[in-house]
Amino acid sequence: MVPHLITALTGPINELEQRIIDSMPAIERWFRLEWMEHTPPFYCSVDIRNAGFKLAPVDTNLFPGGWNNLTDEMLPLAVQAAMAAIEKICPEARNLLIIPENQQKNPSYLSNILQLQRIFRMAGLNVRIGSVSPDIKKLTEIKLPHGDTITLEPALRTKRRLGLKNFDPCTILLNNDLSAGAPGILEELYEQFLLPPLHAGWSVRRKSRHFQSYEEVSKRFGKLLGIDPWLINPVFSKCENIDFVEGTGLDQLAVQVDATITKVRRKYKEYGIKEKPFVVVKADNGTYGMGVMTVRDAKELEALKDKRTRNKMGVIKDGQPVHDVLVQEGVLTYERMNNAVAEPVVYMMDRYVVGGFYRMHPERGIDENLNAPGSGFVPLAFPPQSTQLPQIGARAGASAPNRFYMYGVIARLAMLAASYELEATNPDAEIYD
């Protein structure tokens, strides 16, 4: 489905789109050279915001759920990408074990796991689902709303390997973001490939580290295209040692918010942008859209004096406390689906774009977080003829495939930043003087 955009594919972003389309050969060569030096995350999804004057990623998920929200048209691309990824990592792979989140009561999430199982089965692997939840003590079949059935089995650990009863995988795929830390059953698996690695989990990973890597990538890409990297990169800062529950550290947060808004205001003035700048304060290790608030003025942080608001910001998934936050330039979204504010989410496996969808929320504004209860999803197919083959020579803004290609470029930049990030935080990396 090709979405109808309120922006009507017009506006200043067309200049960026035109530069990207005209530079496609140089861009693709640049990515090829980067992937010769760096290993892409096994899979990821990237949330993108299109403000008309700026197009930037605002979040990168290394344990993407939501595969069930993509269209069937994306399956061939996903299967080919899965084949390529597995061939690089373990060419002789026969068995793959998927470790999901402990969400047996969330049918949408389980449909996502079932879709991943289909993809890797079509890639030629025996695929089973092993739960590390203490609630799964035996083979458990769960009926899903659309008539499908998913089978969960308790994961079994031997001294050196992880598997299931009568099932010994060479590769283990995590779809569990480890917010509460890596359970012992997943540690020290030296004989099997664990994808993504444990240090990609939110118990280790930080958004500020990712966007530091993305800033580096955007500067290099901006130099390649001859553009201001700010057009594709949100300004950010980090604020540490906050206790939302006790209400301490909020004065320092106000200073960071004010400084970041001031930086953005200068860029708006430089480009003649009349919008009011804002920031999004989000948990540095946050996920699932929790621990997020929009701030248009540092004075709005007065709301954090309210205990309910502090508690909402102070605890995220799995009851993890928030002490460090990312203060990120807010990027407006002028895209609409079915009269609701929307943002594209691009899915990748290995180094390939395989699909995406529009996340939309009828009750949220253009400057608010859309990853919240009440959001909906409109599948967006990325068939080869549109995503990988943009219409070179077409006038900027006249081609939805060109716009989708541009989304794919921005998403791949975020994926490259994630590879930089994982290399820098790899506890097993050798250090040379």
Side-chain angles (χ1 to χ4, degrees):
M1 176 179 181
V2 177
H4 170 70
L5 307 180
I6 287 294
T7 50
L9 296 175
T10 62
I13 202 71
N14 284 346
E15 296 176 20
L16 177 60
E17 178 183 321
Q18 193 72 63
R19 188 70 61 90
I20 286 177
I21 297 301
D22 292 344
S23 305
M24 190 185 73
I27 290 171
E28 296 304 324
R29 178 179 182 273
W30 185 80
F31 275 121
R32 284 196 303 272
L33 295 176
E34 287 292 324
W35 296 132
M36 289 175 67
E37 299 292 332
H38 305 281
T39 302
F42 188 79
Y43 58 3
C44 70
S45 65
V46 178
D47 297 355
I48 296 173
R49 305 273 287 206
N50 182 356
F53 55 84
K54 180 174 185 139
L55 183 74
V58 293
D59 206 9
T60 301
N61 187 355
L62 299 184
F63 300 87
W67 290 89
N68 55 308
N69 294 320
L70 277 64
T71 63
D72 288 340
E73 286 84 356
M74 74 93 199
L75 279 174
L77 282 175
V79 170
Q80 289 176 343
M83 287 178 173
I86 292 294
E87 185 177 328
K88 285 195 304 187
I89 294 163
C90 184
E92 68 277 11
R94 179 179 301 169
N95 298 332
L96 180 138
L97 179 66
I98 298 177
I99 304 291
E101 298 274 1
N102 299 340
Q103 295 188 33
Q104 295 87 33
K105 296 182 180 179
N106 185 333
S108 178
Y109 176 74
L110 293 177
S111 295
N112 149 73
I113 292 296
L114 197 60
Q115 184 76 311
L116 278 174
Q117 186 177 39
R118 290 191 188 105
I119 290 169
F120 286 99
R121 278 180 172 169
M122 286 188 280
L125 297 170
N126 300 312
V127 186
R128 286 162 70 174
I129 303 164
S131 176
V132 297
S133 169
D135 297 330
I136 301 295
K137 297 181 173 63
K138 61 181 181 179
L139 187 147
T140 302
E141 292 188 346
I142 301 175
K143 298 281 188 183
L144 300 179
H146 297 294
D148 293 321
T149 299
I150 188 169
T151 302
L152 305 179
E153 302 176 65
L156 302 175
R157 177 65 190 257
T158 62
K159 185 176 181 180
R160 303 179 68 87
R161 298 181 72 84
L162 180 69
L164 306 174
K165 185 178 180 180
N166 301 320
F167 187 75
D168 184 28
C170 82
T171 305
I172 299 164
L173 178 65
L174 286 179
N175 198 250
N176 181 321
D177 63 25
L178 309 176
S179 290
I185 195 172
L186 296 177
E187 295 179 336
E188 299 180 357
L189 292 172
Y190 301 123
E191 295 183 353
Q192 294 165 297
F193 295 97
L194 184 64
L195 306 167
L198 293 181
H199 69 280
W202 281 121
S203 56
V204 175
R205 190 174 179 234
R206 295 294 179 267
K207 292 184 179 182
S208 55
R209 184 66 186 81
H210 173 73
F211 281 100
Q212 181 182 341
S213 295
Y214 184 80
E215 185 172 50
E216 178 185 347
V217 168
S218 65
K219 286 179 180 177
R220 296 181 57 234
F221 187 76
K223 186 176 180 180
L224 174 73
L225 263 61
I227 62 170
D228 180 353
W230 177 77
L231 295 172
I232 58 172
N233 179 38
V235 175
F236 75 94
S237 62
K238 180 179 179 180
C239 192
E240 302 175 304
N241 302 318
I242 299 173
D243 190 324
F244 285 102
V245 176
E246 296 297 328
T248 59
L250 299 183
D251 289 343
Q252 179 59 31
L253 176 58
V255 170
Q256 293 285 359
V257 165
D258 189 59
T260 304
I261 289 177
T262 298
K263 289 180 182 177
V264 178
R265 188 178 291 116
R266 289 196 196 106
K267 296 302 292 188
Y268 277 23
K269 184 176 181 180
E270 177 184 341
Y271 283 91
I273 297 165
K274 304 301 183 183
E275 305 289 350
K276 184 176 181 179
F278 67 100
V279 298
V280 178
V281 178
K282 54 180 76 173
D284 205 17
N285 60 332
T287 184
Y288 277 51
M290 302 174 71
V292 179
M293 67 183 297
T294 298
V295 182
R296 300 163 190 85
D297 189 294
K299 294 178 182 177
E300 294 179 11
L301 293 175
E302 292 289 320
L304 289 173
K305 291 182 179 179
D306 175 68
K307 187 175 180 180
R308 183 180 178 184
T309 305
R310 291 205 313 269
N311 289 340
K312 183 179 178 181
M313 284 297 297
V315 179
I316 53 173
K317 187 185 169 204
D318 293 337
Q320 296 302 299
V322 176
H323 295 300
D324 301 338
V325 297
L326 181 77
V327 180
Q328 185 180 64
E329 173 189 351
V331 182
L332 298 166
T333 176
Y334 279 123
E335 308 200 60
R336 299 288 186 281
M337 290 295 299
N338 302 330
N339 296 318
V341 175
E343 64 187 9
V345 184
V346 178
Y347 276 63
M348 290 161 289
M349 191 174 292
D350 194 59
R351 65 181 194 268
Y352 305 104
V353 174
V354 298
F357 55 78
Y358 269 84
R359 179 189 289 119
M360 58 184 188
H361 202 302
E363 298 175 5
R364 292 291 174 108
I366 62 175
D367 60 353
E368 293 183 291
N369 171 40
L370 305 187
N371 188 9
S375 61
F377 308 96
V378 175
L380 179 63
F382 276 64
Q385 65 267 28
S386 67
T387 305
Q388 304 302 328
L389 297 176
Q391 299 172 7
I392 299 174
R395 176 175 55 84
S399 166
N402 281 5
R403 182 60 53 92
F404 299 157
Y405 174 76
M406 183 169 64
Y407 291 160
V409 168
I410 298 300
R412 284 186 288 164
L413 291 174
M415 178 170 58
L416 179 59
S419 73
Y420 286 19
E421 172 195 359
L422 292 178
E423 289 167 9
T425 57
N426 183 0
D428 299 320
E430 295 184 31
I431 300 176
Y432 298 93
D433 293 330

